Amino acid sequence: MRVLKNINWVRIMTKNYFITIEGIEGAGKSSAVTVIEKFLQEKRLPYVLTREPGGTKIAEQIRNLLLEHNSEQMCSDAELLLLFAARAQHLQQLIIPALDAGKWVISDRFTDASYAYQGAGRGISWDRVSALENWVQGDLRPDITILLDIDPEEGLKRAASVNVLDRIESEKIEFFREVRASYLRLARENQKRFQVVDATQSVDEVGKQIIEILTALM
């Protein structure tokens, strides 16, 4: 039998990526995920679609607790800790096994959302968020983060026209202005990872730009 030598099989195989989609309510994250899924199917690449908070049975139960309206006000620290509890479960039970199996992982939100919503929106120090990020994730970070950027007024108008607003979506407009500003700050500070897409464009144009981002990875 002939043995092939000096071949780097890792380079021959297509690399799998961990891609996250971020943006405020109404930015079109669900549509973006659909575009990515179609792209991966056409390329015949193995993938997993997921979301945060959520992604596993336990994490989805935590999601319900976080998003449902309640007569008792949830304190900001409890909110942040619950999110990272869900994230720990999500990572160990779904994201890490999928990446180890060579699958692409596409997540609707990840830790950048904690910096934006709980950090900027709730006024929690980014140092606290960073400490939890390092504890729960180690050195695991997304390969690419697609930020769908939209003015909060327009985004919330879109969101309200589609669904009943959950607990976090029901926050005041000032909250979402802080969230958006935080996302843009994260994009400036992590330019190699972030790809910012103007979400006020048509669905087709946004989808075209996402495809260009994915094609560049290939």
Side-chain angles (χ1 to χ4, degrees):
M1 180 179 69
R2 182 183 179 188
V3 178
L4 299 178
K5 298 180 180 180
N6 301 323
I7 293 181
N8 190 335
W9 292 108
V10 174
R11 290 186 178 275
I12 292 176
M13 296 174 66
T14 302
K15 172 179 167 53
N16 59 315
Y17 289 91
F18 179 22
I19 301 176
T20 55
I21 313 297
E22 297 285 356
I24 65 168
E25 281 65 21
K29 296 189 306 302
S30 297
S31 297
V33 169
T34 300
V35 168
I36 296 173
E37 180 176 27
K38 182 179 179 181
F39 174 88
L40 296 176
Q41 288 175 344
E42 290 175 350
K43 299 296 182 182
R44 297 183 180 180
L45 296 169
Y47 66 91
V48 169
L49 301 181
T50 189
R51 67 178 182 177
E52 285 212 344
T56 74
K57 183 177 180 180
I58 290 175
E60 288 289 334
Q61 291 175 338
I62 297 174
R63 177 189 179 89
N64 291 335
L65 181 61
L66 282 161
L67 299 186
E68 66 185 7
H69 293 277
N70 198 304
S71 58
E72 178 182 353
Q73 184 176 0
M74 182 178 294
C75 75
S76 299
D77 285 344
E79 183 177 277
L80 178 65
L81 291 169
L82 282 170
L83 281 162
F84 270 97
R87 185 163 296 133
Q89 189 72 9
H90 192 200
L91 282 163
Q92 294 302 318
Q93 297 298 318
L94 191 152
I95 293 177
I96 293 174
L99 291 172
D100 287 346
K103 297 178 181 179
W104 289 49
V105 175
I106 314 302
S107 182
D108 180 343
R109 297 199 193 283
F110 195 58
T111 306
D112 292 305
S114 294
Y115 282 100
Y117 281 78
Q118 286 68 51
R122 301 296 189 205
I124 297 176
S125 167
W126 276 24
D127 289 340
R128 287 191 180 185
V129 181
S130 178
L132 289 169
E133 178 181 37
N134 292 328
W135 177 20
V136 170
Q137 298 170 218
D139 60 359
L140 177 63
R141 301 292 185 274
D143 294 297
I144 292 292
T145 296
I146 299 174
L147 173 60
L148 301 173
D149 181 48
I150 191 171
D151 183 83
E153 284 84 354
E154 177 63 25
L156 289 175
K157 187 185 299 183
R158 288 185 184 180
S161 69
V162 177
N163 297 308
V164 176
L165 300 181
D166 61 37
R167 184 181 68 86
I168 294 179
E169 290 171 338
S170 300
E171 288 290 342
K172 296 180 179 179
I173 192 67
E174 290 78 10
F175 174 86
F176 294 102
R177 288 177 181 144
E178 292 292 336
V179 171
R180 182 197 185 193
S182 180
Y183 269 134
L184 293 174
R185 173 187 167 186
L186 286 164
R188 289 192 301 270
E189 295 179 355
N190 300 273
Q191 294 184 24
K192 290 184 178 180
R193 175 164 65 87
F194 269 80
Q195 296 286 338
V196 181
V197 176
D198 181 359
T200 64
Q201 302 174 101
S202 68
V203 173
D204 289 343
E205 184 59 34
V206 170
K208 179 182 177 181
Q209 291 187 25
I210 291 173
I211 293 300
E212 290 174 353
I213 292 169
L214 298 177
T215 302
L217 288 178
M218 305 292 290

